[in-house]
Amino acid sequence: MTTYVTILPMGTSSKSVSFSHFLRNSGEILEEVKHVDVRLARRDGPDIFFGTDQRETAVRDSLGYLARALSAVLRDPVLGVHVTPAISGELSWLGWLSEEDQSEFLSHFLATIRACEDTGGYEPLSRLLNRWRASAQIMHDPELASLLVADRGEDSSISINRPEA
Amino acid sequence: VAGQPNTTPQIRRPNKPQSLEVVARNSKIAMKWDEFSNMHAAAYQEVYDKLSSKPDYDDGNRQHSLMGEVGRGVFDGANYVRWQIDVTSGGRIWYFIDPAPAGKGQKLRSGRVIIDEIYPGHPKSTEKKPGRGRGPGHR
């Protein structure tokens, strides 16, 4: 059985145990959850996060405050000019995009932050960053980028089959 | 209204979701599919199943649309959003989703997925290279 403690950023500690360990020791884990978040690792599905509602609400509220503050700063024509390069500095891959794409990214980023703060769910922001990061990786790799801009020749739509084992 | 027949609006049972047809945009891409799927059959089976059932599913990790310049593509004169799915370590498949229904008289389908390009990734040094038989001294 593997049990280990992961130290997350901002000083938050999180414990990770297997789901089967949790089933066998649920009382013990419930006691620990009062003090620390627990990740239940599963082989046959996504890991499960186990924490108190109080801590989770605090995290969501804090994210909401930060999102609203960032959104307000980015909307400000004077402040936004200074903050945008700072965001580029934090997202190292942003510089791999063309200027037009960087501008498009910031527009999407701001709109998604607003939507997330309205709905209280931040998964769309995570997905957006994943899409843009993957796009930047392609732009940064001449081999990949050349594949996508190369002349494809005549389009013909040819059926393909599922591979056999 | 009095004197008029009582007509009850009919609702139709929704069609069962159909699998999407998976096509290559041209013979070159079809040949790439054959070549790489022979080398990594299990991985390409998984990709085929995902593309034919849920091509527009963004899992936040290995399957998602692209953005910006590389997120736009053209097939047969029409504009599409380009999607990416990771297939092997470093390998990627780019595709378009064409949800348009088939024309009259054709087999009912939900649409088609057009494979735009395939990048196999860089083979690991320990991987067997394709097309090489046994070396000298083997029978």
Side-chain angles (χ1 to χ4, degrees):
Chain A
M1 177 197 69
T2 304
T3 304
Y4 54 91
V5 175
T6 308
I7 305 301
L8 296 176
M10 298 184 292
T12 306
S13 61
S14 168
K15 182 172 184 171
S16 182
V17 300
S18 69
F19 190 66
S20 55
H21 174 81
F22 165 70
L23 292 177
R24 288 193 304 271
N25 305 277
S26 57
E28 177 191 321
I29 300 297
L30 276 172
E31 273 303 308
E32 292 191 68
V33 163
K34 290 178 182 172
H35 310 287
V36 65
D37 297 334
V38 176
R39 179 178 293 131
L40 306 178
R42 295 194 303 166
R43 288 181 182 171
D44 55 350
D47 294 351
I48 294 173
F49 175 82
F50 205 28
T52 64
D53 178 64
Q54 186 183 18
R55 283 200 302 271
E56 176 63 10
T57 301
V59 169
R60 284 181 179 274
D61 286 351
S62 303
L63 267 175
Y65 294 136
L66 286 172
R68 283 194 290 279
L70 181 59
S71 178
V73 168
L74 284 171
R75 275 198 302 267
D76 186 290
V78 177
L79 293 175
V81 170
H82 299 288
V83 172
T84 301
I87 291 175
S88 305
E90 283 300 309
L91 303 172
S92 56
W93 42 264
L94 202 55
W96 296 344
L97 297 170
S98 66
E99 282 188 19
E100 292 80 12
D101 280 358
Q102 287 187 33
S103 173
E104 192 179 331
F105 164 77
L106 287 170
S107 171
H108 284 160
F109 186 60
L110 184 53
T112 306
I113 284 179
R114 285 179 189 158
C116 288
E117 73 185 60
D118 281 349
T119 60
Y122 287 85
E123 214 173 343
L125 185 60
S126 171
R127 286 207 192 97
L128 182 83
L129 290 171
N130 185 51
R131 290 180 205 140
W132 275 105
R133 182 171 50 238
S135 305
Q137 284 170 340
I138 294 171
M139 295 293 283
H140 183 59
D141 186 327
E143 191 179 358
L144 298 180
S146 64
L147 271 177
L148 294 188
V149 299
D151 181 20
R152 302 292 206 280
E154 193 173 340
D155 293 326
S156 47
S157 182
I158 296 171
S159 282
I160 58 173
N161 298 316
R162 185 178 190 272
E164 292 178 5
Chain B
V1 180
Q4 289 194 355
N6 183 16
T7 55
T8 306
Q10 298 268 320
I11 58 169
R12 296 175 60 187
R13 182 179 185 273
N15 288 330
K16 186 181 176 184
Q18 303 285 314
S19 290
L20 282 83
E21 184 185 10
V22 183
V23 302
R25 74 175 298 156
N26 56 35
S27 57
K28 183 182 158 196
I29 303 300
M31 285 168 64
K32 277 190 176 183
W33 174 269
D34 286 342
E35 179 186 350
F36 300 132
S37 64
N38 280 334
M39 294 165 64
H40 306 283
Y44 274 72
Q45 280 176 346
E46 188 183 341
V47 164
Y48 186 94
D49 293 342
K50 286 180 177 174
L51 296 190
S52 60
S53 57
K54 289 183 178 177
D56 59 351
Y57 175 67
D58 183 338
D59 67 1
N61 185 21
R62 296 169 63 87
Q63 182 180 4
H64 50 80
S65 58
L66 293 173
M67 306 297 282
E69 190 180 341
V70 297
R72 296 181 279 269
V74 177
F75 174 76
D76 209 13
N79 295 314
Y80 290 94
V81 172
R82 182 177 279 121
W83 282 69
Q84 171 175 302
I85 184 166
D86 296 354
V87 56
T88 54
S89 179
R92 301 145 204 227
I93 289 177
W94 293 292
Y95 62 94
F96 304 134
I97 303 170
D98 178 11
K104 194 176 179 182
Q106 294 181 24
K107 182 183 174 185
L108 179 66
R109 60 174 171 76
S110 302
R112 61 179 174 167
V113 170
I114 302 149
I115 296 184
D116 174 45
E117 186 53 90
I118 301 174
Y119 177 70
H122 294 288
K124 293 174 186 169
S125 57
T126 51
E127 277 186 349
K128 182 184 172 185
K129 294 189 176 177
R132 289 191 178 179
R134 289 178 163 181
H138 293 277
R139 292 183 182 179

